[in-house]
Amino acid sequence: MRLVIAIAAALPMSAAVVAQSVDQDAKVLVQKAEAFIRVRNQFDQAAMAAMMAPDYQEVSPVGEVDSRDRVIGFYAADKKSLAPPMTITETVARPAGTIGVVTMRIAYTMPGKDGQTQTHALRAGFVARRIDGDWQFVSLQLTPIRG
């Protein structure tokens, strides 16, 4: 009987610990995804590579599927250009054990043909996997938001 009472008493505590762990994982995933977008805009290949799983793949805004090496190569120092001002919003992370999903809205403000600034937005969808205790991105899909 005492064992049953002890187990029943421990259940709410273990649920709270699990919820706290999920909340912490969600915060880490949000921070990593936002940092990943920033280091891409800075053409920081080393920082990008550290955040990408060995089997990473990416679907570009035009629908091309790129390997990890191809994505890293795209951000070579000799290809660096000034990134337009960027805003990241609507970031949501959903960790589930060793897998996590992050979505966000990325908006870039650029000069338009008429001299006025225009904002172009993308929806980013990340899949991350916990590898050796650290979250690494397995994939990223970038989809233009119309309108």
Side-chain angles (χ1 to χ4, degrees):
M1 181 68 168
R2 289 182 193 185
L3 179 61
V4 171
I5 293 171
I7 291 171
L11 286 176
M13 189 181 332
S14 72
V17 169
V18 168
Q20 184 178 16
S21 175
V22 168
D23 288 346
Q24 182 59 33
D25 283 341
K27 287 178 187 174
V28 170
L29 283 165
V30 165
Q31 291 169 350
K32 280 212 158 203
E34 291 178 353
F36 188 70
I37 296 300
R38 284 192 299 276
V39 299
R40 287 166 65 103
N41 285 351
Q42 297 164 356
F43 284 65
D44 186 340
Q45 289 178 304
M48 284 176 55
M51 295 180 193
M52 300 162 87
D55 55 346
Y56 177 91
Q57 72 174 15
E58 182 171 308
V59 180
S60 76
V62 296
E64 294 177 356
V65 179
D66 296 323
S67 68
R68 180 181 193 272
D69 290 340
R70 186 168 176 194
V71 172
I72 292 170
F74 181 81
Y75 291 95
D78 64 334
K79 298 177 183 175
K80 186 173 183 174
S81 61
L82 184 61
M86 171 189 67
T87 306
I88 299 172
T89 58
E90 302 174 21
T91 305
V92 178
R94 299 280 190 253
T98 60
I99 300 294
V101 175
V102 181
T103 57
M104 66 176 57
R105 181 180 187 276
I106 306 166
Y108 293 94
T109 304
M110 298 179 277
K113 294 176 185 172
D114 60 1
Q116 300 294 319
T117 59
Q118 295 181 339
T119 300
H120 299 278
L122 301 168
R123 181 73 59 199
F126 293 86
V127 176
R129 182 173 61 223
R130 194 186 319 265
I131 300 172
D132 297 329
D134 187 30
W135 289 106
Q136 291 189 338
F137 296 113
V138 176
S139 70
L140 169 59
Q141 179 162 346
L142 298 162
T143 305
I145 299 173
R146 299 186 196 271

